[in-house]
Amino acid sequence: MKTPVIQFGTSRFLQAHADLFLSEGTPAVAITVVQTSGDPARAGRLTALAASEGYPVRIRGRQDGRVVDEERRVTSVRRCLSMTDQYEDVQRVFVEEADYVLSNTGDSGYESKPEDKLAAFSPAMSFPAKLYHLLAARHAGGGRPLTILPMELIADNGKVLRGLVLAIAAANNAPAGLVRYIGEETTWASSLVDRIVSAPIEPAGAVAEPYALWAIERTPGLVVPSAHPAIRLVDDLREIETLKLHILNLGHTALVDMWTRRGAPAQAIVREFIAVPEVEAELGDIYRSEVLPAFGALGRGDEAAAYLATTLERFANPFLDHKLSDIAQSHAQKVQRRIVAFIELARAAGYEGDFPKLAAIVGRGGAA
């Protein structure tokens, strides 16, 4: 059995996102999943992910004005391995089978570790260091260059990961051929992923909203592993990032401001909070009078209006308990990134309209 995709990470997000898309896509693609953390508590999950009958993903929410509540089966995962206990097997699959590498190791996965300086592989290394050693083994084995598709929520994640792996190569005094193989011959594609995955299904599987996006930035040599409605090739990820950051995420931050002014009730969730008439009216006014006109000045008014309609459906998901107390974490920094940066973007485009409600949010909670 060959698996053209090797995936680093076992999260419920991946289970309801890339693993589902590659199971449903054209062609369907087989995956080897690799656990990078070494957490023994997840051993049962590894076994269940690769079960012959697959595992369930429950899609629940609203889409195009209708309620969606359905179950799908994911059968793309054919093998699960542990980086800690089965490194030789991981290396064999990486060298002999893989055409694509997927990763979602979290922001912490990119953080350097003391073990990164070791000449030989260690399970305690950062993900870029582990990837360097696997690429070195593939190069030594004569393997053709592959495509790496990081999915961590880091801007320009493909470029960032490439730079970190090349830095590891430099620290290891890697030969010029290996450096060229990593830096020039391997395809590194940045991507942006978006889907709210609200709960696990034990021992494997997840509950997710209907909305799903895996946007991959075009780069020379890139061929996506499968065709699926949620997989989109784009020329510039920043266009999608701008919509997500300054409509969906800006809306969340505006709701946190309203929630705080109403006493910050601990159990408040988004779908119930936006059903409060005063909240619905205030959020709608922010979008109509301040956000959409500014996007119009950016030449993206129609696109922003369509994205806003989808966003409001996602906020009202009747099956999703999205706590405002969770969204409120790091509120001041989020105000800067989501609201202040948006006002600056609009001004740079020549927009002269006012932002009274957004400016008031900045004044109340936007100190950096």
Side-chain angles (χ1 to χ4, degrees):
M1 176 185 60
K2 289 195 65 175
T3 54
V5 171
I6 186 167
Q7 170 185 300
F8 295 90
T10 65
S11 69
R12 69 176 188 245
F13 174 81
L14 286 170
Q15 293 171 44
H17 192 270
D19 297 344
L20 175 62
F21 306 159
L22 296 182
S23 179
E24 296 178 334
T26 305
V29 181
I31 304 170
T32 289
V33 168
V34 179
Q35 181 192 36
T36 59
S37 67
D39 182 358
R42 296 185 177 181
R45 177 188 296 180
L46 294 181
T47 301
L49 284 173
S52 59
E53 69 273 16
Y55 63 82
V57 172
R58 188 81 174 270
I59 307 299
R60 309 187 79 191
R62 297 182 63 86
Q63 189 172 42
D64 300 328
R66 65 184 181 91
V67 173
V68 177
D69 189 358
E70 61 190 35
E71 183 175 294
R72 302 177 188 174
R73 304 293 299 185
V74 177
T75 57
S76 53
V77 180
R78 305 294 177 80
R79 181 196 293 122
C80 290
L81 299 171
S82 166
M83 183 77 90
T84 301
D85 301 324
Q86 298 169 292
Y87 179 70
E88 290 184 0
D89 292 329
V90 172
Q91 180 176 280
R92 185 198 63 76
V93 173
F94 192 98
V95 170
E96 299 177 7
E97 296 185 18
D99 297 317
Y100 295 89
V101 176
L102 307 185
S103 70
N104 192 345
T105 60
D107 295 358
S108 61
Y110 284 20
E111 294 175 359
S112 63
K113 303 290 175 59
E115 291 80 4
D116 291 356
K117 298 177 181 179
L118 298 175
F121 171 83
S122 165
M125 289 175 164
S126 68
F127 177 65
K130 293 173 182 175
L131 188 55
Y132 164 74
H133 285 280
L134 290 168
L135 285 166
R138 185 177 174 101
H139 178 256
R144 64 183 181 276
L146 39 61
T147 295
I148 298 177
L149 294 162
M151 304 169 74
E152 290 82 7
L153 294 175
I154 296 171
D156 293 324
N157 46 23
K159 298 180 182 69
V160 170
L161 184 56
R162 175 182 178 273
L164 291 171
V165 174
L166 285 172
I168 298 291
N172 279 271
N173 296 312
L178 176 56
V179 173
R180 184 169 57 253
Y181 180 81
I182 294 171
E184 300 175 21
E185 298 173 14
T186 297
T187 299
W188 303 82
S190 294
S191 67
L192 182 149
V193 298
D194 191 6
R195 170 168 252 180
I196 297 172
V197 181
S198 57
I201 297 174
E202 299 298 342
V207 180
E209 66 172 338
Y211 181 88
L213 174 66
W214 183 6
I216 305 171
E217 194 167 70
R218 287 187 175 89
T219 191
L222 173 66
V223 177
V224 296
S226 185
H228 186 277
I231 301 175
R232 289 176 51 193
L233 272 175
V234 300
D235 293 323
D236 188 351
L237 279 179
R238 287 174 294 183
E239 294 185 1
I240 295 176
E241 289 171 342
T242 299
L243 289 172
K244 181 174 183 289
L245 188 63
H246 301 315
I247 294 181
L248 186 145
N249 297 139
L250 178 147
H252 275 156
T253 297
L255 288 171
V256 167
D257 175 77
M258 299 177 214
W259 170 74
T260 302
R261 286 187 276 126
R262 286 164 174 78
Q267 301 304 313
I269 57 178
V270 170
R271 62 180 167 82
E272 293 177 351
F273 192 61
I274 62 171
V276 176
E278 296 82 5
V279 171
E280 182 181 27
E282 185 173 350
L283 182 64
D285 187 41
I286 289 172
Y287 279 135
R288 278 191 309 274
S289 64
E290 302 187 23
V291 174
L292 291 182
F295 269 103
L298 296 168
R300 304 184 67 188
D302 292 344
E303 188 180 4
Y307 186 86
L308 173 59
T310 300
T311 294
L312 293 175
E313 272 197 326
R314 296 174 72 186
F315 284 176
N317 186 336
F319 303 107
L320 180 62
D321 294 339
H322 199 177
K323 289 187 176 181
L324 283 154
S325 57
D326 293 337
I327 301 171
Q329 295 179 21
S330 304
H331 178 65
Q333 291 86 349
K334 290 175 179 176
V335 168
Q336 294 295 315
R337 291 196 304 270
R338 299 172 177 185
I339 297 179
V340 173
F342 178 63
I343 295 172
E344 292 173 349
L345 181 67
R347 295 295 185 227
Y351 180 66
E352 298 180 355
D354 294 328
F355 297 97
K357 292 187 179 297
L358 292 178
I361 296 171
V362 174
R364 284 190 291 268

